[in-house]
Amino acid sequence: MREFLNPQAAALQQGGIRAMFDRMAGREGLISLAVGEPDFGTHPDIVEAGCRALRDGFTHYTPNAGYLDLREAIVETMRPQGLSYDPGSEVIVTVGAMGALAQLFWVLLSPGDEVIVQEPVWVNYYTMISYPGGVPVPVRTTDDNGFRLRAADIEARITPRTKVLLLNNPGNPTGAYLKREELQEIAELAQKHDLLVISDEVYGLLLYDGNQPASIASFPGMKERTVVINGFSKAYAMTGWRIGYALGPVAILRKMVLLQENVISCVAAATQKAAAYALSRPDIVQGMVTVYEEKRNLLLEGLSRIEGVRCTRPGGAFYLFPDISSICPDSKAFCFDLLDRAAVACIPGVSFGDAGEGHIRMSYANSKENLTAAAERLQEYVRRFRRA
């Protein structure tokens, strides 16, 4: 039946993250640092808000753009950064942040349009960009600059076909956090070259070391050329609820709403009500951030005791991206062998693009006991590997 597929569908392949999950299946005694979701369950008060919505009759279709009260609450989250949006025309509620990104690329990109993306990168971006005919253009970042994207490196990759600059701040898989002075330089560059910016801020509340949320849309001249993507999966531990959103210029958002009308209609009603309640409880997020920072520090300390492992200190998200190249330059071989010999699951760095080779992604969204045990297993594994 392959002959019935269009070329874009025929080219789809399983990503490296899912391939690792398949390899993990059925393993006993496994410690998984592979999964990219919170280890917290959704807060009981948020769950109750969703259940209450169902009992109150929120079981029907909603407006294509989402309930207005939720869009109003989303707009309020941007005001501390000096950003004001019209909840009626500049916000759309989507099926996860992934839904927002996919629909955005579908309405923006024509064949041959280039999208600049930082690398290492969450490679789903590449599929989303390529499906409508866009061309992802990676900009390599390294440990030496904390995996932070620099304006000069972006400018070197701009061509006459460049249409969009995609930012993920803080980023998956590295946890790199772009500070305001760095965003300022990138904002000036975007205006200089007349680029649209997509700012994926799904990890934007998971910040450590005193870092504060910073959207590139908040800089002068940037709101009108930026689409902000966010969601509830990471910060509110609502991955299974599948709800995200986008904020941006009316001309773009209007077409996203029309596309959503024709593709999925709307996001589940009770999910939207639960999300609206979640936004009223910033204390829930802050409680998780405090714990994540402790876990980050614990795993960093464990890695610091392992000969040959070097790790940049990330400013956000819940990932470490240590360099294991002095032990084994092939990150896939390293992770598969680590899984088989030490029952620790990590994601090969090459799964996040060529710039990720020689690294592994470790999620510290796990118990402190498991993180300690995983670091100890890794240390013992490295001892044996280096002697082999």
Side-chain angles (χ1 to χ4, degrees), residues 215-285:
S215 175
I216 195 169
S218 66
F219 290 86
M222 289 304 297
K223 177 176 178 282
E224 55 267 35
R225 65 171 62 248
T226 302
V227 179
V228 174
I229 304 292
N230 212 325
F232 296 82
S233 290
K234 311 300 183 181
Y236 292 92
M238 294 176 69
T239 52
W241 297 75
R242 305 314 304 133
I243 183 164
Y245 57 88
L247 307 101
V250 173
I252 295 174
L253 269 290
R254 182 184 296 121
K255 295 303 180 183
M256 289 179 67
V257 172
L258 291 174
L259 179 61
Q260 181 151 282
E261 174 189 347
N262 286 278
V263 175
I264 63 158
S265 180
C266 59
V267 177
T271 293
Q272 293 189 54
K273 291 301 181 182
Y277 175 81
L279 291 178
S280 74
R281 293 288 306 276
D283 59 300
I284 293 175
V285 179

Side-chain angles (χ1 to χ4, degrees), residues 15 62 75 86 119 131 156 205 218 267 296 315-316 325 339 370 387-388:
T62 80
V75 166
D86 178 1
E119 193 177 288
Y131 209 90
L205 294 179
S218 66
V267 177
R296 180 202 63 169
S325 60
L339 179 65
N370 279 345
R387 285 201 303 265

Side-chain angles (χ1 to χ4, degrees), residues 143-144 303 306 308-312 321-326 359:
D143 302 82
D144 294 337
L303 294 180
I306 303 175
V309 175
R310 181 169 66 102
C311 189
T312 297
F321 202 62
D323 181 348
I324 48 85
S325 60
S326 69
H359 297 75

Side-chain angles (χ1 to χ4, degrees), residues 63 65-76 87-89 91-93:
Y67 282 128
L68 183 60
D69 64 333
L70 174 55
R71 286 181 278 153
E72 289 172 339
I74 290 168
V75 166
E76 288 302 311
S89 62
V91 188
I92 181 176
V93 179

Side-chain angles (χ1 to χ4, degrees), residues 78 81 83 85 149 154 165-169 178-180 182-191 195-201 213-229:
M78 305 301 290
Q81 297 190 60
L83 284 163
Y85 291 90
L149 196 59
I154 296 170
L165 168 63
L166 174 58
L167 301 178
N168 181 204
N169 188 37
L178 293 170
K179 297 185 178 181
R180 289 195 63 84
E182 295 166 315
L183 287 173
Q184 175 69 56
E185 293 181 3
I186 295 172
E188 292 171 358
L189 181 69
Q191 293 177 72
L195 303 180
L196 181 77
V197 175
I198 300 174
S199 182
D200 182 349
E201 301 175 11
S215 175
I216 195 169
S218 66
F219 290 86
M222 289 304 297
K223 177 176 178 282
E224 55 267 35
R225 65 171 62 248
T226 302
V227 179
V228 174
I229 304 292

Side-chain angles (χ1 to χ4, degrees), residues 33-346:
L33 306 185
V35 67
E37 71 171 330
D39 57 317
F40 297 95
T42 305
H43 194 282
D45 291 352
I46 299 175
V47 174
E48 176 54 31
C51 293
R52 185 168 57 248
L54 291 171
R55 292 193 296 266
D56 290 345
F58 289 96
T59 59
H60 300 277
Y61 292 127
T62 80
N64 299 124
Y67 282 128
L68 183 60
D69 64 333
L70 174 55
R71 286 181 278 153
E72 289 172 339
I74 290 168
V75 166
E76 288 302 311
T77 67
M78 305 301 290
R79 292 195 188 281
Q81 297 190 60
L83 284 163
S84 177
Y85 291 90
D86 178 1
S89 62
E90 294 181 312
V91 188
I92 181 176
V93 179
T94 60
V95 179
M98 289 179 70
L101 283 163
Q103 291 177 178
L104 178 57
F105 287 127
W106 291 344
V107 302
L108 285 180
L109 298 181
S110 299
D113 287 342
E114 294 180 354
V115 180
I116 290 180
V117 183
Q118 64 206 65
E119 193 177 288
V121 64
W122 181 59
V123 293
N124 295 53
Y125 287 148
Y126 287 170
T127 301
M128 292 183 195
I129 293 166
S130 299
Y131 209 90
V135 179
V137 178
V139 174
R140 188 182 186 94
T141 63
T142 68
D143 302 82
D144 294 337
N145 66 343
F147 296 106
R148 295 195 302 275
L149 196 59
R150 297 182 295 194
D153 294 333
I154 296 170
E155 190 159 35
R157 299 291 276 156
I158 294 174
T159 76
R161 298 304 301 268
T162 306
K163 188 174 190 177
V164 176
L165 168 63
L166 174 58
L167 301 178
N168 181 204
N169 188 37
N172 175 11
T174 66
Y177 169 75
L178 293 170
K179 297 185 178 181
R180 289 195 63 84
E181 56 269 25
E182 295 166 315
L183 287 173
Q184 175 69 56
E185 293 181 3
I186 295 172
E188 292 171 358
L189 181 69
Q191 293 177 72
K192 173 183 175 181
H193 292 277
D194 193 24
L195 303 180
L196 181 77
V197 175
I198 300 174
S199 182
D200 182 349
E201 301 175 11
V202 73
Y203 295 98
L205 294 179
L206 303 182
L207 300 172
Y208 317 114
D209 302 324
N211 292 326
Q212 297 297 314
S215 175
I216 195 169
S218 66
F219 290 86
M222 289 304 297
K223 177 176 178 282
E224 55 267 35
R225 65 171 62 248
T226 302
V227 179
V228 174
I229 304 292
N230 212 325
F232 296 82
S233 290
K234 311 300 183 181
Y236 292 92
M238 294 176 69
T239 52
W241 297 75
R242 305 314 304 133
I243 183 164
Y245 57 88
L247 307 101
V250 173
I252 295 174
L253 269 290
R254 182 184 296 121
K255 295 303 180 183
M256 289 179 67
V257 172
L258 291 174
L259 179 61
Q260 181 151 282
E261 174 189 347
N262 286 278
V263 175
I264 63 158
S265 180
C266 59
V267 177
T271 293
Q272 293 189 54
K273 291 301 181 182
Y277 175 81
L279 291 178
S280 74
R281 293 288 306 276
D283 59 300
I284 293 175
V285 179
Q286 190 51 55
M288 289 191 287
V289 167
T290 298
V291 175
Y292 281 140
E293 188 164 11
E294 294 172 355
K295 292 178 177 181
R296 180 202 63 169
N297 295 342
L298 179 66
L299 189 54
L300 279 170
E301 182 182 355
L303 294 180
S304 72
R305 295 194 292 268
I306 303 175
E307 182 184 357
V309 175
R310 181 169 66 102
C311 189
T312 297
R313 183 183 184 90
F318 40 64
Y319 307 111
L320 299 185
F321 202 62
D323 181 348
I324 48 85
S325 60
S326 69
I327 302 166
C328 178
D330 184 332
S331 61
K332 185 178 292 187
F334 181 93
C335 285
F336 285 177
D337 199 46
L338 179 66
L339 179 65
D340 292 339
R341 297 192 191 192
V344 175
C346 302

